[in-house]
Short mmCIF file of all heavy atoms in Angstrom, two decimals:
data_model
loop_
_atom_site.label_atom_id
_atom_site.label_comp_id
_atom_site.label_asym_id
_atom_site.label_seq_id
_atom_site.Cartn_x
_atom_site.Cartn_y
_atom_site.Cartn_z
N PHE A 224 104.37 -12.47 -126.66
CA PHE A 224 103.46 -13.30 -127.43
C PHE A 224 102.35 -13.77 -126.49
O PHE A 224 102.57 -14.59 -125.60
CB PHE A 224 104.19 -14.50 -128.03
CG PHE A 224 105.03 -14.17 -129.23
CD1 PHE A 224 106.38 -13.94 -129.10
CD2 PHE A 224 104.45 -14.09 -130.49
CE1 PHE A 224 107.16 -13.64 -130.21
CE2 PHE A 224 105.22 -13.79 -131.61
CZ PHE A 224 106.58 -13.56 -131.47
N ALA A 225 101.14 -13.27 -126.71
CA ALA A 225 100.05 -13.55 -125.77
C ALA A 225 99.60 -15.00 -125.80
O ALA A 225 99.10 -15.52 -124.80
CB ALA A 225 98.86 -12.64 -126.08
N THR A 226 99.75 -15.70 -126.92
CA THR A 226 99.23 -17.07 -127.03
C THR A 226 100.36 -18.07 -127.27
O THR A 226 100.14 -19.13 -127.87
CB THR A 226 98.21 -17.17 -128.18
OG1 THR A 226 98.84 -16.75 -129.40
CG2 THR A 226 97.00 -16.29 -127.90
N ALA A 227 101.55 -17.76 -126.80
CA ALA A 227 102.69 -18.66 -127.01
C ALA A 227 102.46 -20.00 -126.33
O ALA A 227 101.92 -20.08 -125.23
CB ALA A 227 103.96 -18.02 -126.46
N ALA A 228 102.87 -21.08 -127.03
CA ALA A 228 102.78 -22.43 -126.46
C ALA A 228 104.15 -23.02 -126.22
O ALA A 228 104.26 -24.11 -125.65
CB ALA A 228 101.98 -23.34 -127.40
N ASP A 229 105.20 -22.34 -126.64
CA ASP A 229 106.57 -22.77 -126.42
C ASP A 229 107.17 -21.93 -125.29
O ASP A 229 107.01 -20.70 -125.27
CB ASP A 229 107.38 -22.60 -127.71
CG ASP A 229 108.83 -23.01 -127.54
OD1 ASP A 229 109.63 -22.18 -127.07
OD2 ASP A 229 109.15 -24.17 -127.88
N VAL A 230 107.89 -22.56 -124.37
CA VAL A 230 108.44 -21.86 -123.21
C VAL A 230 109.39 -20.75 -123.65
O VAL A 230 109.33 -19.62 -123.13
CB VAL A 230 109.17 -22.84 -122.28
CG1 VAL A 230 109.88 -22.10 -121.15
CG2 VAL A 230 108.19 -23.86 -121.71
N THR A 231 110.26 -21.05 -124.60
CA THR A 231 111.25 -20.06 -125.04
C THR A 231 110.58 -18.82 -125.61
O THR A 231 110.94 -17.68 -125.26
CB THR A 231 112.18 -20.68 -126.10
OG1 THR A 231 112.84 -21.82 -125.54
CG2 THR A 231 113.22 -19.69 -126.57
N ILE A 232 109.60 -19.01 -126.48
CA ILE A 232 108.90 -17.88 -127.10
C ILE A 232 108.07 -17.12 -126.07
O ILE A 232 108.01 -15.88 -126.07
CB ILE A 232 108.01 -18.37 -128.25
CG1 ILE A 232 108.88 -18.85 -129.41
CG2 ILE A 232 107.08 -17.26 -128.74
CD1 ILE A 232 109.78 -17.78 -130.02
N ALA A 233 107.45 -17.84 -125.15
CA ALA A 233 106.62 -17.19 -124.12
C ALA A 233 107.43 -16.26 -123.24
O ALA A 233 106.90 -15.28 -122.71
CB ALA A 233 105.91 -18.25 -123.27
N GLU A 234 108.72 -16.55 -123.07
CA GLU A 234 109.55 -15.76 -122.17
C GLU A 234 110.27 -14.60 -122.86
O GLU A 234 110.96 -13.83 -122.20
CB GLU A 234 110.57 -16.68 -121.48
CG GLU A 234 109.90 -17.66 -120.52
CD GLU A 234 110.87 -18.61 -119.85
OE1 GLU A 234 112.03 -18.71 -120.31
OE2 GLU A 234 110.47 -19.24 -118.86
N LEU A 235 110.11 -14.48 -124.18
CA LEU A 235 110.72 -13.35 -124.88
C LEU A 235 109.90 -12.09 -124.65
O LEU A 235 108.68 -12.12 -124.62
CB LEU A 235 110.81 -13.63 -126.38
CG LEU A 235 111.74 -14.76 -126.83
CD1 LEU A 235 111.76 -14.85 -128.35
CD2 LEU A 235 113.16 -14.55 -126.29
N LYS A 236 110.60 -10.96 -124.52
CA LYS A 236 109.95 -9.67 -124.36
C LYS A 236 110.53 -8.69 -125.38
O LYS A 236 111.75 -8.61 -125.54
CB LYS A 236 110.17 -9.11 -122.95
CG LYS A 236 109.57 -9.97 -121.85
CD LYS A 236 109.88 -9.38 -120.48
CE LYS A 236 109.32 -10.24 -119.36
NZ LYS A 236 109.66 -9.70 -118.02
N LEU A 237 109.65 -7.99 -126.05
CA LEU A 237 110.08 -6.93 -126.97
C LEU A 237 109.92 -5.60 -126.26
O LEU A 237 108.81 -5.22 -125.90
CB LEU A 237 109.26 -6.96 -128.27
CG LEU A 237 109.76 -6.02 -129.37
CD1 LEU A 237 109.48 -6.62 -130.73
CD2 LEU A 237 109.11 -4.64 -129.27
N GLU A 238 111.03 -4.93 -126.02
CA GLU A 238 111.00 -3.63 -125.33
C GLU A 238 111.27 -2.54 -126.35
O GLU A 238 112.33 -2.50 -126.98
CB GLU A 238 112.02 -3.58 -124.21
CG GLU A 238 111.93 -2.30 -123.39
CD GLU A 238 112.71 -2.35 -122.09
OE1 GLU A 238 113.40 -3.36 -121.86
OE2 GLU A 238 112.62 -1.39 -121.30
N ALA A 239 110.30 -1.68 -126.54
CA ALA A 239 110.40 -0.58 -127.50
C ALA A 239 110.55 0.74 -126.75
O ALA A 239 109.80 1.02 -125.82
CB ALA A 239 109.16 -0.54 -128.39
N PHE A 240 111.53 1.52 -127.14
CA PHE A 240 111.77 2.83 -126.52
C PHE A 240 111.14 3.91 -127.39
O PHE A 240 111.30 3.92 -128.61
CB PHE A 240 113.28 3.07 -126.38
CG PHE A 240 113.95 2.10 -125.45
CD1 PHE A 240 114.40 0.88 -125.92
CD2 PHE A 240 114.11 2.39 -124.11
CE1 PHE A 240 115.01 -0.04 -125.07
CE2 PHE A 240 114.73 1.50 -123.25
CZ PHE A 240 115.17 0.27 -123.73
N LEU A 241 110.44 4.81 -126.74
CA LEU A 241 109.71 5.88 -127.43
C LEU A 241 110.12 7.23 -126.87
O LEU A 241 110.43 7.34 -125.67
CB LEU A 241 108.20 5.69 -127.25
CG LEU A 241 107.61 4.43 -127.90
CD1 LEU A 241 106.24 4.12 -127.30
CD2 LEU A 241 107.51 4.61 -129.40
N PRO A 242 110.13 8.26 -127.71
CA PRO A 242 110.49 9.59 -127.20
C PRO A 242 109.45 10.10 -126.21
O PRO A 242 108.25 10.00 -126.45
CB PRO A 242 110.52 10.45 -128.47
CG PRO A 242 109.69 9.72 -129.46
CD PRO A 242 109.84 8.26 -129.15
N ALA A 243 109.94 10.65 -125.10
CA ALA A 243 109.04 11.21 -124.09
C ALA A 243 108.82 12.70 -124.28
O ALA A 243 108.06 13.31 -123.54
CB ALA A 243 109.59 10.95 -122.69
#
Side-chain angles (χ1 to χ4, degrees):
F224 283 97
T226 58
D229 180 276
V230 174
T231 301
I232 291 298
E234 292 179 346
L235 294 183
K236 297 178 181 178
L237 188 148
E238 185 167 5
F240 296 86
L241 295 162

